[in-house]
Amino acid sequence: MGSTDQLEVEVKFSVDDATPVPDFSSVEGVAGVGEEQRFTLSATYYDTPDLQLTRNKITLRRRSGGPDEGWHLKLPGTRGRREVHAPLDAGDATDSHHVRPPRALLETLHEALPAAPADDDSADFIAIAQVDNERHVTDVMVDSPSSRGDAESGKSAISYKGAEFCDDHVSSRGLLEGGQAQHWREWEIELSPEILDDRNDGDGQRDNHSFADDFLDRLSQRALAEGAKKSSSPSKLVMAMGDTMPD
């Protein structure tokens, strides 16, 4: 199987161990909340020895566990982040000092950052952080914009996964000189590809970005109401690297 490409739009929250998980069922636009699922995730993050990726806000990791295990390359964008996936068995990560990411990810990386290695022969990556996570996942369903008038017509409303709520219990180790072990809890609310692609409100007038962003904002307000705080860290990698994070 080759690489896949998608848009990641999410918000992150800092919470302590006692913060209760939000009940999203009464939030406007929520059609239902799924059963909680639990996954054990283990990710190693990689960079060039001079940390070209980290300095350019690019993330490369290989993660096992969960439904999307594999290699993940995350690139900054104007709206969210572009996320490119490759299978777990692609590339070569047996030697943490001389890692070879999958060729498809190297090609994408080189397009975004020309100074980065372009192929397997020139690739020279090292492990910079280890992040292990017990993830509790809940799907939040939303009514399709095209079915909002169905209640009046007597038809059944059509719903789909609008967002994913993740309650993460994280342990990390910085693998560069001076790196330390850390533990924390955080929440993520990530919009689904379906809601980002839903442009049709029955009249062809709906702005899918506005619809999705409004939904994400309402979920975020519920999380804040439970005592969460918007995270000051943009990623788990930044947290894991701590003082070894380059300026």
Side-chain angles (χ1 to χ4, degrees):
M1 185 176 72
S3 63
T4 60
D5 201 323
Q6 66 186 50
L7 178 67
E8 178 189 70
V9 179
E10 67 179 15
V11 290
K12 299 169 68 70
F13 302 89
S14 299
V15 291
D16 60 34
D17 290 339
T19 306
V21 170
D23 178 6
F24 295 112
S25 60
S26 61
V27 173
E28 179 185 353
V30 172
V33 177
E35 293 292 326
E36 181 186 273
Q37 302 181 71
R38 298 191 179 191
F39 301 100
T40 299
L41 312 178
S42 183
T44 305
Y45 289 76
Y46 302 101
D47 205 336
T48 58
D50 58 354
L51 304 181
Q52 289 183 51
L53 276 62
T54 305
R55 296 180 192 278
N56 286 277
K57 297 180 171 56
I58 296 173
T59 300
L60 174 66
R61 73 184 178 202
R62 182 178 184 273
R63 187 170 75 186
S64 61
D68 67 341
E69 69 176 6
W71 289 85
H72 303 157
L73 175 67
K74 297 189 179 187
L75 304 165
T78 56
R79 171 176 165 77
R81 292 200 289 177
R82 179 186 177 193
E83 185 170 326
V84 186
H85 292 189
L88 191 66
D89 59 358
D92 183 0
T94 54
D95 182 349
S96 62
H97 298 288
H98 299 285
V99 176
R100 297 292 184 268
R103 179 178 291 274
L105 297 195
L106 285 175
E107 292 173 352
T108 301
L109 173 61
H110 187 66
E111 291 174 3
L113 186 65
D119 53 48
D120 293 342
D121 294 333
S122 62
D124 186 15
F125 290 80
I126 60 171
I128 60 172
Q130 176 74 30
V131 175
D132 298 318
N133 181 12
E134 181 185 310
R135 167 163 284 182
H136 304 190
V137 181
T138 305
D139 291 343
V140 183
M141 310 301 290
V142 64
D143 285 333
S144 171
S146 58
S147 68
R148 299 188 74 183
D150 286 346
E152 297 178 4
S153 65
K155 298 179 182 179
S156 299
I158 301 172
S159 63
Y160 60 88
K161 178 180 173 180
E164 184 175 87
F165 170 74
C166 299
D167 180 10
D168 289 340
H169 303 254
V170 188
S171 299
S172 73
R173 283 189 301 118
L175 301 180
L176 299 177
E177 184 177 355
Q180 297 181 342
Q182 299 188 74
H183 305 274
W184 72 91
R185 183 186 179 206
E186 67 179 39
W187 291 345
E188 292 181 1
I189 304 176
E190 181 177 351
L191 292 176
S192 70
E194 292 82 3
I195 198 171
L196 290 170
D197 288 341
D198 197 339
R199 293 175 170 82
N200 182 19
D201 66 348
D203 298 321
Q205 300 296 317
R206 180 172 295 278
D207 181 334
N208 66 311
H209 285 183
S210 176
F211 173 58
D213 288 345
D214 288 348
F215 186 65
L216 181 59
D217 183 64
R218 291 194 295 273
L219 298 182
S220 298
Q221 291 304 315
R222 179 55 54 88
L224 293 170
E226 290 295 345
K229 297 179 181 179
K230 284 286 185 70
S231 177
S232 60
S233 175
S235 69
K236 290 180 175 64
L237 175 60
V238 172
M239 289 286 290
M241 291 187 70
D243 292 340
T244 67
M245 185 74 185
D247 295 331

